[in-house]
Amino acid sequence: MKLLVDAALGALADAQVDLKEVDGVVLSSSIPQPFECNPAELAEYLGISPTYTTMAPYGGRPAIDVIHMAESAIDAGLASNVLVLSADNFATTLGIDGAIDLYMKSFDKTYERPFGPIIPTAFALMATRHMHDYGTTLEQMAHLAVTIRQHGLLNPHTEVKGELTVESVLNDVVTSSPLTRSMLALISTGGGQGFLITKRPRNDRAVQILGYGEASAFMSLSQAANVAKFDHIGGATRQALARADVTLADIDFLEVYDPAAIVPLILLEDMGFCEKGEAGAFVENGGIKLGGPLPMNTHGGTMAFRHPGMGAALDSVVEAVTQLRGEAGERQVADAELGLVHGQGSWLANNGFLILGRA
């Protein structure tokens, strides 16, 4: 609750809007809480009476959904100033063993869970299949981890320390073959994010919501048509681009949900930035670096910034806003005008895409 309240008050101060003017609250649910903190409970704590409240569950996709819900509520006349909030206390509440136990329950109880998978298992399957079908190498995935770590070390709020090399990534402890620990997301102690969505910004630091797209194709990994190619991702991307009336070539930077090094490679291909099987070489040749043609996860993502739980992908939205405001310091993308943000849940089964632009 304290994380949510701190995020709410920070967002309101940034937007120069008084708490009494808030008439909508949208929450991304928490993973470890024994009882989910719902919007009514938060409203009670803040002493407000919103006319619109809702929640978004399921994995990393709420980072996109919650903002779209708030925007839709405003467009429908249900609210005028909507707080969008997320907070989680992952490692402190659950610990590593608790996190592993909880995430095993994410797998289908009949056809998957009896075989003892952990979250990295799903991404290891994707990596193995992608390597087999398209010739992607472990070295290329290591290059992605190294690049994201370089970006994270430029973020003054990062949890990580020390640079990575391709060799150190490859020689790290194998968590789920072929993925090593350095190719996977962090498990963090806690964090909260907050936004105010409104049609009437009070200052010139507002960022514009231009496009939104989403797609769901399955839930259980065993029901995926292909674990290395996800056609519905391209459809959701095109939906977001069409609504924003822009093309992939117009995008200045990408902030994607990166629970494992293979995921951004698949996204680059299935979103349409690279042909299938070419993302590994694109990353290896510096394509996603700051100063490169398509900077990605400029804040470090979940691999080199933090991963406090359910709302982790909202950090990507925070970073996109920071970039579009020109306030990212050493990690600033030059002349950033359009950013594409991605959130996913259930191993790329459910995806949301948000296009943000400089107001």
Side-chain angles (χ1 to χ4, degrees):
M1 179 66 78
K2 185 181 188 310
L3 290 170
L4 289 170
V5 170
D6 287 348
L9 297 180
L12 290 171
D14 183 76
Q16 298 177 334
V17 172
D18 190 88
L19 177 61
K20 295 177 182 178
E21 298 177 77
V22 173
D23 54 4
V25 177
V26 183
L27 291 188
S28 172
S29 60
S30 166
I31 292 175
Q33 295 298 329
F35 300 101
E36 288 183 346
C37 175
N38 62 59
E41 185 179 355
L42 178 65
E44 175 188 73
Y45 191 96
L46 292 172
I48 59 176
S49 299
T51 58
Y52 176 78
T53 57
T54 192
M55 292 188 72
Y58 47 82
R61 186 176 138 187
I64 308 305
D65 293 355
V66 285
I67 292 177
H68 178 60
M69 289 173 176
E71 182 190 26
S72 298
I74 291 173
D75 287 344
L78 301 176
S80 299
N81 296 300
V82 181
L83 273 175
V84 172
L85 301 167
S86 177
D88 233 336
N89 203 8
F90 205 48
T92 303
T93 307
L94 294 175
I96 297 296
D97 291 340
I100 291 172
D101 180 66
L102 183 143
Y103 271 140
M104 281 185 68
K105 296 174 183 174
S106 300
F107 290 87
D108 181 87
K109 65 180 179 181
T110 302
Y111 298 106
E112 297 174 358
R113 206 182 304 167
F115 300 96
I118 57 176
I119 287 292
T121 307
F123 302 117
L125 286 170
M126 293 180 188
T128 302
R129 189 75 210 186
H130 205 276
M131 293 167 70
H132 177 275
D133 288 356
Y134 304 110
T136 301
T137 67
L138 278 176
E139 286 77 12
Q140 289 170 339
M141 283 185 268
H143 272 284
L144 186 136
V146 169
T147 301
I148 300 301
R149 174 65 69 94
Q150 290 170 346
H151 295 171
L153 290 174
L154 297 176
N155 186 339
H157 305 294
T158 184
E159 293 185 352
V160 300
K161 295 180 181 179
E163 294 185 0
L164 294 176
T165 64
V166 171
E167 291 73 21
S168 69
V169 173
L170 295 175
N171 293 328
D172 203 354
V173 176
V174 174
T175 302
S176 190
S177 181
L179 301 178
T180 66
R181 181 172 51 192
S182 299
M183 297 178 182
L184 298 166
L186 307 167
I187 295 179
S188 305
T189 54
Q193 311 92 345
F195 299 89
L196 184 82
I197 312 298
T198 181
K199 277 192 173 180
R200 294 182 292 276
R202 305 288 172 83
N203 56 51
D204 59 3
R205 300 175 73 239
V207 163
Q208 199 168 3
I209 301 169
L210 298 176
Y212 171 79
E214 65 176 79
S216 300
F218 58 92
M219 184 64 186
S220 302
L221 187 63
S222 58
Q223 302 308 304
N226 188 322
V227 295
K229 184 176 184 293
F230 301 89
D231 293 334
H232 61 290
I233 287 175
T237 307
R238 290 189 293 272
Q239 186 182 55
L241 292 169
R243 288 176 174 170
D245 194 23
V246 299
T247 68
L248 288 175
D250 296 319
I251 301 300
D252 296 310
F253 62 90
L254 275 177
E255 309 294 346
V256 306
Y257 196 59
D258 57 346
I262 186 61
V263 172
L265 299 184
I266 291 174
L267 286 167
L268 283 168
E269 294 170 354
D270 292 352
M271 291 168 69
F273 288 104
C274 298
E275 293 297 322
K276 206 63 194 171
E278 295 183 0
F282 180 73
V283 169
E284 191 173 12
N285 293 325
I288 65 168
K289 286 186 174 182
L290 284 166
L294 190 64
M296 175 190 280
N297 290 11
T298 50
H299 60 314
T302 67
M303 295 176 65
F305 172 41
R306 65 176 183 178
H307 192 331
M310 197 71 129
L314 260 175
D315 284 327
S316 296
V317 184
V318 174
E319 178 65 9
V321 170
T322 303
Q323 289 286 346
L324 293 168
R325 287 175 169 180
E327 298 174 353
E330 290 184 90
R331 63 184 195 280
Q332 180 65 48
V333 175
D335 303 318
E337 294 186 357
L338 281 176
L340 180 54
V341 186
H342 163 260
Q344 66 96 10
S346 306
W347 17 89
L348 289 173
N350 305 297
N351 294 267
F353 295 91
L354 188 69
I355 297 177
L356 301 175
R358 187 183 297 172

